[in-house]
Amino acid sequence: MNTTSTTQQLNQRLFSIDILRGFVMVIMILDHVRETFFLHYQMSDPMDITSTDTILIICRFLAHICAPTFIFLTGLSAYLYMQKVQSKKETSWFLFTRGLFLIFLELTFVNFAWTFEFPMEKLYLQVIWAIGFSMIFLSVLIYLPKKILFILAIIIIFGHNLLDSVHFEKDSIFYIPWAVLHERTWIEFSQDFKVRTSYPILPWIGVISLGFIAGEWFNKNINFQTRKNYLLKTTLILLSSFIVIRFINVYGDTPYINYASISNTILSFFNITKYPPSLLFILLTLGICTFLLMLFEKYQNLKSISWLKNFGAAPMFFYLLHLYFLKFLYLSAVAIYGLNQGLYFGFSHTWQMPLLSILFAFILYFPTKWYANLKQKRRDIKWLKYL
């Protein structure tokens, strides 16, 4: 294979990854619009099928694929970065430093974007925190033999629900480490300051490790057909495992309920736990992720989906931009209309959420595309790659 065709294949592979990342970022907009303009309607995890509006259920189901895809692709991209620089040491250092950078962003700019309060009395450790910590762990795990890393990832993903019954009292020295690793709870440092471990990191370490291992399928020596077979087999294994384990209904998540209504029973079957992500949550969402990755590579040249790569090429820039723009819209609505839903301003109808999300994505497409092009043109500015 000549150099030109190899370069073309590499660019195409990166396009499919960016398209998938961009796709889930657009879905993320919908979920964050819900969390901003429908905050007066609180949703449990897993959801209450019998009392939740159908559109809200669909929005939440769609949003489930976002975090697993982000973290899986982070691992995959880490492998590609290692292939590019040809240095495990340099890759490890980049993962470590970028992980610290993401944690810093979560504790500062991201949390402030959600609350607009300073000083902040509450911190929420969410997806950026989870990605950052997962990268730090991966910076060490990449030194393991791939077979050992794969076994470790499988043990974490399939076994972490065995730890659900493990709890520590607040005065225990294990309380904070366990809250960070596996229990969604509040850590109270004082009367005026507490932290919510919204995204316990243990399961995500398994997901990012699987992504790193899958990166080998995107090696320049692997053609599309071979990669397609890998992704298709992985999709079938993940989704069939989800169906079998879910039907058994004794492990991997809260048992589903057989309702009198068939539609409610089906919804309950797919009603899975995100905080922390259960085994069944990971199997289903990663199964969808690998299927979409295969699909987007096949159709990546279609104009109807290729535009998504501009979102995926500048993920952190877009993430911060969309949070602050969303907060600006919310505060503007409060200033104009007041708090029409008790303590919140909120939409009266669920159909307004997807409408705003589409408009939102259209507006932010242009600055995100500009930044993605800037990253490509100015590779000499090293800090740009951190966003």
Side-chain angles (χ1 to χ4, degrees), residues 67-304:
T69 300
F70 286 145
I71 296 179
F72 180 82
L73 293 183
T74 298
L76 197 158
S77 298
Y79 180 88
L80 295 179
Y81 181 85
M82 187 173 70
Q83 294 300 299
K84 177 183 176 181
V85 300
Q86 293 294 304
S87 169
K88 190 169 286 189
K89 183 178 179 181
E90 184 176 340
T91 303
S92 176
W93 179 245
F94 174 68
L95 287 168
F96 180 77
T97 54
R98 190 163 193 264
L100 287 177
F101 178 66
L102 293 183
I103 292 172
F104 167 76
L105 287 180
E106 182 76 86
L107 297 177
T108 54
F109 293 96
V110 173
N111 266 273
F112 181 71
W114 281 112
T115 64
F116 261 44
E117 294 178 357
F118 190 83
M120 290 178 279
E121 296 182 355
K122 299 177 184 178
L123 287 179
Y124 296 89
L125 309 180
Q126 302 188 86
V127 66
I128 303 302
W129 154 277
I131 295 174
F133 248 115
S134 297
M135 292 180 81
I136 291 173
F137 274 91
L138 187 62
S139 71
V140 176
L141 295 175
I142 63 172
Y143 287 100
L144 293 175
K146 287 182 181 176
K147 289 184 178 179
I148 301 299
L149 180 58
F150 176 74
I151 292 171
L152 178 62
I154 295 300
I155 290 174
I156 291 173
I157 290 171
F158 276 82
H160 78 275
N161 281 126
L162 294 172
L163 304 173
D164 290 348
S165 60
V166 177
H167 306 285
F168 294 97
E169 298 297 326
K170 291 185 177 181
D171 58 353
S172 170
I173 61 172
F174 299 107
Y175 180 78
I176 293 179
W178 191 242
V180 170
L181 277 174
H182 195 60
E183 187 165 8
R184 190 189 193 202
T185 187
W186 286 99
I187 301 173
E188 297 182 5
F189 290 97
S190 69
Q191 263 189 328
D192 300 321
F193 181 67
K194 58 183 180 179
V195 174
R196 175 74 157 171
T197 53
S198 300
Y199 274 71
I201 64 174
L202 180 60
W204 299 119
I205 295 170
V207 173
I208 199 172
S209 299
L210 284 185
F212 183 81
I213 293 166
E216 191 170 1
W217 304 341
F218 289 77
N219 190 292
K220 63 183 179 181
N221 298 319
I222 304 292
N223 60 40
F224 169 68
Q225 190 58 46
T226 302
R227 183 164 49 255
K228 175 185 174 183
N229 291 337
Y230 285 141
L231 290 170
L232 182 58
K233 288 178 182 177
T234 302
T235 298
L236 293 174
I237 291 171
L238 289 169
L239 295 183
S240 60
S241 297
F242 167 80
I243 292 171
V244 170
I245 296 173
R246 192 55 162 162
F247 265 120
I248 296 172
N249 212 25
V250 296
Y251 179 73
D253 210 314
T254 303
Y256 73 91
I257 300 171
N258 284 296
Y259 291 98
S261 165
I262 295 177
S263 59
N264 279 354
T265 300
I266 293 173
L267 288 175
S268 180
F269 188 86
F270 290 97
N271 189 22
I272 44 184
T273 304
K274 183 179 181 179
Y275 305 109
S278 66
L279 165 62
L280 290 170
F281 180 96
I282 293 173
L283 291 175
L284 178 60
T285 55
L286 284 189
I288 296 171
C289 169
T290 52
F291 175 75
L292 290 175
L293 190 56
M294 176 187 67
L295 199 66
F296 286 148
E297 181 166 3
K298 183 177 181 180
Y299 298 106
Q300 62 189 347
N301 294 321
L302 292 178
K303 290 184 179 180
S304 57

Side-chain angles (χ1 to χ4, degrees), residues 348-379:
S348 301
H349 306 286
T350 52
W351 60 263
Q352 294 170 303
M353 291 189 301
L355 187 64
L356 177 60
S357 300
I358 293 170
L359 178 63
F360 201 85
F362 177 78
I363 293 172
L364 296 189
Y365 172 79
F366 299 99
T368 306
K369 181 180 179 180
W370 168 81
Y371 188 82
N373 290 334
L374 178 66
K375 282 178 64 180
Q376 290 296 318
K377 293 176 182 177
R378 297 302 307 271
R379 293 182 181 272

Side-chain angles (χ1 to χ4, degrees), residues 50-70:
T50 58
S51 63
T52 305
D53 183 276
T54 303
I55 293 181
L56 287 175
I57 291 175
I58 293 172
C59 290
R60 194 62 186 142
F61 279 164
L62 287 173
H64 278 346
I65 72 170
C66 295
T69 300
F70 286 145

